[in-house]
Amino acid sequence: IEMTETSLTLEFTGGSEFLVGNQKIHQVSIAGEELTIRSVLLWLKETLLKNCDRIDLLLEGEAVRPGVLVLVNDTDWELLDEERTLLKNGDRVTFISTLHGG
């Protein structure tokens, strides 16, 4: 079985970038047959967020925390298939935190 890799741009804004080394844009390749947002979240948790102690600001369990907007190529994932949205080579997934401390 040949593993395919999907090249994505992951973008973190609205404060979520501090969870991933203050780097807004990450070019990544993720292995897997049918890559969904859910697969990306699991990959994020195991890879980019591995040493992060505030992972709860982005993820709640294996889901995106309420208050974090997810866009796929500038389209709100709620208009797509949310975490079941299929991704293809070159897609951009943006995480925008709308949570602000007071």
Side-chain angles (χ1 to χ4, degrees), residues 43-61:
W43 181 88
L44 261 178
K45 196 170 183 176
E46 294 166 6
T47 313
L48 281 184
L49 297 170
K50 190 169 56 185
N51 300 319
C52 178
D53 57 357
R54 297 302 310 273
I55 193 169
D56 59 302
L57 294 178
L58 189 65
L59 300 177
E60 207 169 73

Side-chain angles (χ1 to χ4, degrees), residues 8-11 35-38 40 69-96:
L8 301 172
T9 301
L10 301 182
E11 192 174 2
L35 197 65
T36 61
I37 300 267
R38 182 170 172 72
V40 171
L69 302 176
V70 181
L71 306 179
V72 178
N73 301 323
D74 297 326
T75 301
D76 189 328
W77 76 334
E78 290 179 4
L79 300 173
L80 303 166
D81 205 6
E82 295 190 330
E83 64 181 30
R84 293 178 302 280
T85 302
L86 282 176
L87 299 170
K88 58 191 184 323
N89 255 339
D91 280 351
R92 183 171 76 243
V93 181
T94 307
F95 298 90
I96 304 170

Side-chain angles (χ1 to χ4, degrees), residues 13-17 57 65-68 96-102:
T13 65
S16 63
E17 64 274 6
L57 294 178
R65 162 195 184 124
V68 175
I96 304 170
S97 175
T98 61
L99 308 167
H100 299 286

Side-chain angles (χ1 to χ4, degrees), residues 1-8 28-40 42-43 46 86-89:
I1 299 170
E2 190 181 326
M3 280 301 265
T4 55
E5 289 220 334
T6 306
S7 296
L8 301 172
V28 302
S29 270
I30 302 176
E33 270 319 298
E34 285 198 322
L35 197 65
T36 61
I37 300 267
R38 182 170 172 72
S39 325
V40 171
L42 295 172
W43 181 88
E46 294 166 6
L86 282 176
L87 299 170
K88 58 191 184 323
N89 255 339

